Amino acid sequence: MAEPRPATDPALGVVIVTYRSSDVIAACIASLRAATGVALHVVVVDNASPDDTVEVIRAAVPDLMGAAEAGQDGIALIEAGSNGGFAAGVNLGLARLAANPALDRFWLLNPDCVVPPETPALLASHDPGPRGAAMIAHRVVYGDAPDKIQIDGGVIDRRTGITHNLNQFASADSPAPDPSQIDFVTGASLVATRAHLERAGPMTEDYFLYYEEVDWALRRGDLPISYCERAVVHHVAGTAIGSQRMGSVASPFSQYFKHRARAMFLRRHFPAGLIGGAAWSLAKAAQLRAQGHGAEAAALLRGFFGMAPPGAVLAALSPDTRAKIGR
C-alpha cells in the first residue's frame, strides 16, 4: 500500500483487532502492504495490549495514520484504551470504516494471519451473484501447515451449540464447499458487506470472546453467504489466548470463554439446545480429565454453567476486563 494505486482498483476496508499481538502483527501488516490490485483501508484497533504491540505497529508502519484518518487508503491505528473484547474492537473499526461511503466490504482479519498478495483483491472484487451476500467465506489454512485446511466456513450443531469447521484438515487443494451449507464465516478472516452491516447492526459485544461471528451470521436475514474460491488466508491460531491448534488442547483461558459464549449463544438462539449443550460439556470435561487436562476441563465447565473464571484465568484479566464480564 505504500505505492500509488490505480483509481480502478477495488476498495476493501480491513479491521484488525490486536491484544498481546506483538509477535505476529508485523508479519500480518507486511503481507497486507504487499497486496496487489486493491486499495486497502486498514484500521488496527488495539485493545489495550499490556505488551509492546502498539510500538511494533508503529515501527512496522512508518506512514501510520491517526484514528481521525481511518477509512483512507492506508493504515490507521485506534488505541481503544481498554479491552472490551473482540467484538468491541471490531465495532470501533467498523464504525470508522463505514463512515467512508466508498467502502462496501469490510474484512475482519486476525493479527495472526498472513495473506498472499492476490487474496485481498480477490475478496474485494468477488461477485456474489444477483442476490448479493451478507458475508464472503474463503479458504483458511493452517499457518504452520499450509497444505491443510483449517476452515472453509462453519456449521452449527443446534442441539449442543458446538460449531464445526467445514473441510478441516483436508488437503488445501480440495474442492470448495457448497456455500448454501455454510452457517457462518470464521471471525479470523471474514468479509462482511455494507448491506449486512446495515441490516444486522454491529457485533454483539457481551460474548467478549468467541461466537460473536456466529451470532452475527444468524442475524443476516435472507442475505446469503457467498464463497470466494481462489482466496486463501494463512492463520496461526491461538497466539494470544491459547485457542486450539493442530495437535494441541485449548488453554483454560480459551476453554472458559469459548464455552461461556456457547451457553450465551444457545440461550439467545437455540434454547432447546441447552440440555444437549450441558450433556456435551460434561462428557467433554470427563474426556479432558481422562487425558490429564484437569485445568482445561474445569474451565470448560465453569464457563458453560455460568460460574466465575478459574483463578488462573481471572488473574490474566485486567480490572476493566473483569468489569466487562461481570466478575
Side-chain angles (χ1 to χ4, degrees):
M1 289 179 298
E3 298 180 1
R5 303 195 181 276
T8 56
D9 281 348
L12 182 63
V14 186
V15 178
I16 303 171
V17 178
T18 56
Y19 180 76
R20 293 196 307 178
S21 306
S22 61
D23 57 335
V24 293
I25 186 59
C28 179
I29 289 173
S31 72
L32 290 173
R33 290 175 72 87
T36 57
V38 66
L40 292 181
H41 304 244
V42 182
V43 176
V44 182
V45 181
D46 184 71
N47 275 351
S49 291
D51 63 359
D52 59 346
T53 295
V54 169
E55 289 74 18
V56 170
I57 294 168
R58 294 189 185 280
V61 190
D63 51 347
L64 187 69
M65 298 185 296
E69 299 170 289
Q72 297 183 27
D73 183 8
I75 301 178
L77 172 66
I78 297 176
E79 295 184 62
S82 64
N83 183 10
F86 174 70
V90 166
N91 289 341
L92 274 176
L94 285 176
R96 295 300 177 95
L97 290 171
N100 182 347
L103 295 176
D104 192 55
R105 294 183 183 180
F106 309 98
W107 186 13
L108 314 186
L109 185 67
N110 269 18
D112 54 1
C113 288
V114 173
V115 303
E118 67 277 7
T119 286
L122 290 169
L123 294 173
S125 59
H126 172 69
D127 181 3
R131 294 179 60 198
M135 298 176 177
I136 301 171
H138 47 281
R139 181 149 293 169
V140 178
V141 299
Y142 286 99
D144 47 2
D147 59 330
K148 301 291 185 185
I149 297 170
Q150 182 184 27
I151 186 169
D152 267 349
V155 294
I156 308 162
D157 186 339
R158 290 153 171 77
R159 300 166 301 175
T160 61
I162 293 297
T163 59
H164 301 280
N165 293 5
L166 288 173
N167 291 334
Q168 188 172 28
F169 307 129
S171 171
D173 59 3
S174 298
D178 177 353
S180 68
Q181 302 303 309
I182 299 174
D183 290 331
F184 68 93
V185 182
T186 175
S189 183
L190 181 167
V191 176
T193 63
R194 184 177 289 272
H196 173 67
L197 181 59
E198 291 175 349
R199 175 173 298 192
M203 278 189 165
T204 301
E205 297 184 6
D206 60 354
Y207 288 104
F208 188 71
L209 286 172
Y210 299 108
Y211 278 82
E212 301 97 335
E213 76 273 38
V214 187
D215 180 288
W216 208 32
L218 292 191
R219 289 155 46 200
R220 68 183 186 273
D222 59 356
L223 285 173
I225 291 175
S226 185
Y227 189 90
C228 183
E229 293 194 15
R230 293 190 294 143
V232 177
V233 168
H234 298 247
H235 179 216
V236 182
T239 60
I241 57 176
S243 299
Q244 187 173 11
R245 303 171 70 174
M246 287 185 66
S248 71
V249 173
S251 68
F253 190 98
S254 176
Q255 297 279 4
Y256 178 81
F257 282 104
K258 184 170 187 176
H259 297 288
R260 170 185 179 269
R262 178 167 60 94
M264 295 170 65
F265 174 79
L266 283 170
R267 284 194 294 271
R268 286 173 176 161
H269 294 282
F270 307 110
L274 283 166
I275 295 174
W280 185 96
S281 299
L282 291 168
K284 183 63 176 180
Q287 179 190 60
L288 287 169
R289 284 199 186 96
Q291 295 171 342
H293 303 295
E296 291 81 358
L300 185 161
L301 293 176
R302 295 185 73 86
F304 186 84
F305 290 103
M307 294 180 277
V313 174
L314 196 63
L317 302 175
S318 63
D320 63 291
T321 301
R322 293 175 196 170
K324 176 73 176 179
I325 67 169
R327 306 296 178 190

